[in-house]
Amino acid sequence: MRALVISDMQPDAANPQRGRFVRDQVQALRQLDGVEVDLIEFPPGPRALAGAARALARRYRRRGAAQRPDIVHAHFGLTAWPALAVPARLRALTVHGTDVRHPRTRVATAAVLPLMDLVAAVSQELAEQLPLRSARERALVLPCGVDMERFRALPRLQARRELGLAPDSRYLLFPADPARREKRHDRALAVADAVGAQLLSLGSVAPERVPWWVNAADAVLVPSEREGFGLAVLEALACDVPVIATPVGIHPQALAGVDGTLCVPYEEASWRAAAAEVLSQADPRIAGRDAADRYSAVRMAERVLVAWREGLDRSAQ
């Protein structure tokens, strides 16, 4: 089986972490038997979108059937449009959040959904928000998952030395770019100020450095208004770092039954109390890795491969 994965989340110097979850899934898929996977990424934006359509048409329409992919799988609704330029037996789309929730991209996503043989969302919550009833009824839940090799527990003092942080300070981590309003950096900052902790944040941090930042923190704060999935929570769990998160995306399922975590709507007093409890411990850790492993990149890739095979079987009937 030959598959082509396409994403409009190509990283750049200012956004090195962008689209890493798609690349992690492709890497996990390449570890599975019976499938060859290529990845094409292009930057976000309308100009890159148009250029991608032309480039894909030139690259694949000249190829014979034996060299063409069996499956073209687009990530994000807008990406599905240039993906139509690639001949394939099966067309798949995974939506991630903004492609369903943003007014303009939602319209573009709705228009392309009937052209997709396989429609997926990264969470059940997001699948239920798809713009067409027919798409909601047939949608699969296919998250990208957490890289369990990259995200693992590291000694907190070692992580702080690596990052040049004070060994005895109190640190909370906001695992996103503060400029992303829906992630609610303001909420995390209010909690950190209330408990006398320094708030760290991720934005232009290179992907290979992110596990150091997670392990350096006493706890991870995820006060998002909404999440397509919620990978940051899984990354913290994989590192056995305490998490306080709002009940959006995968958060309720991932954190259920994990002692030392809290998943409740944002309210400063309750979040402040939970953060203060974590910070009262000398070296706060939780047993979160098993919970994260349920959503590992490899396990999620296996689900994608099953969906591809079933889709190809249907197309042959």
Side-chain angles (χ1 to χ4, degrees), residues 248-278:
V248 296
I250 200 67
H251 297 173
Q253 293 87 353
L255 296 175
V258 182
D259 293 338
T261 69
L262 182 68
C263 187
V264 296
Y266 177 80
E267 194 275 320
E268 186 177 326
S270 60
W271 277 55
R272 182 175 64 241
E277 171 62 25
V278 170

Side-chain angles (χ1 to χ4, degrees), residues 218-237:
D218 295 289
V220 172
L221 304 182
V222 191
S224 309
E225 289 181 350
R226 57 188 180 274
E227 290 282 353
F229 182 51
L231 195 57
V233 159
L234 298 177
E235 291 169 351
L237 289 175

Side-chain angles (χ1 to χ4, degrees), residues 9-21 23 41 150 177 202-210:
M9 295 288 283
Q10 186 179 67
D12 56 28
N15 303 279
Q17 182 73 0
R18 186 166 61 199
R20 181 59 191 251
F21 48 89
R23 293 189 292 279
E41 297 176 291
R150 193 163 82 252
D177 184 344
L202 301 179
S204 58
V205 175
E208 63 272 12
R209 303 290 288 172
V210 173

Side-chain angles (χ1 to χ4, degrees), residues 19-227:
R20 181 59 191 251
F21 48 89
V22 176
R23 293 189 292 279
D24 284 345
Q25 182 166 95
V26 168
Q27 182 178 346
L29 282 162
R30 288 170 174 166
Q31 298 175 29
L32 304 180
D33 293 333
V35 61
E36 297 177 7
V37 186
D38 288 331
L39 171 65
I40 292 179
E41 297 176 291
F42 57 90
R47 181 175 298 180
L49 197 71
R54 292 191 295 270
L56 288 167
R58 288 194 301 268
R59 180 170 179 173
Y60 285 96
R61 289 197 177 276
R62 291 197 299 257
R63 297 186 179 186
Q67 296 178 304
R68 292 173 181 169
D70 300 297
I71 301 147
V72 175
H73 194 137
H75 283 267
F76 297 92
L78 291 178
T79 312
W81 287 104
L84 293 173
V86 181
R89 292 169 54 198
L90 184 76
R91 301 190 182 280
L93 167 65
T94 296
V95 298
H96 290 263
T98 55
D99 42 3
V100 171
R101 293 167 174 152
H102 189 281
R104 288 195 298 272
T105 52
R106 181 177 175 86
V107 171
T109 299
V112 83
L113 286 173
L115 305 178
M116 296 295 107
D117 304 299
L118 188 159
V119 175
V122 293
S123 69
Q124 184 60 42
E125 178 185 31
L126 190 59
E128 293 169 358
Q129 297 175 27
L130 284 163
L132 301 182
R133 179 179 177 181
S134 58
R136 293 193 295 271
E137 290 175 346
R138 64 189 178 101
L140 302 176
V141 177
L142 298 176
C144 285
V146 58
D147 185 336
M148 298 295 291
E149 294 184 9
R150 193 163 82 252
F151 288 92
R152 53 189 175 85
L154 301 168
R156 185 166 279 119
L157 289 179
Q158 179 185 354
R160 292 183 177 185
R161 284 195 299 269
E162 176 72 20
L163 299 174
L165 299 174
D168 298 324
S169 291
R170 294 146 59 97
Y171 293 108
L172 299 173
L173 176 66
F174 175 73
D177 184 344
R180 297 184 63 186
R181 293 183 179 181
E182 76 278 6
K183 301 293 187 180
R184 297 305 301 264
H185 178 262
D186 59 320
R187 292 175 171 178
L189 187 59
V191 172
D193 287 346
V195 297
Q198 182 175 341
L199 185 65
L200 310 172
S201 62
L202 301 179
S204 58
V205 175
E208 63 272 12
R209 303 290 288 172
V210 173
W212 290 112
W213 289 92
V214 175
N215 278 283
D218 295 289
V220 172
L221 304 182
V222 191
S224 309
E225 289 181 350
R226 57 188 180 274
E227 290 282 353

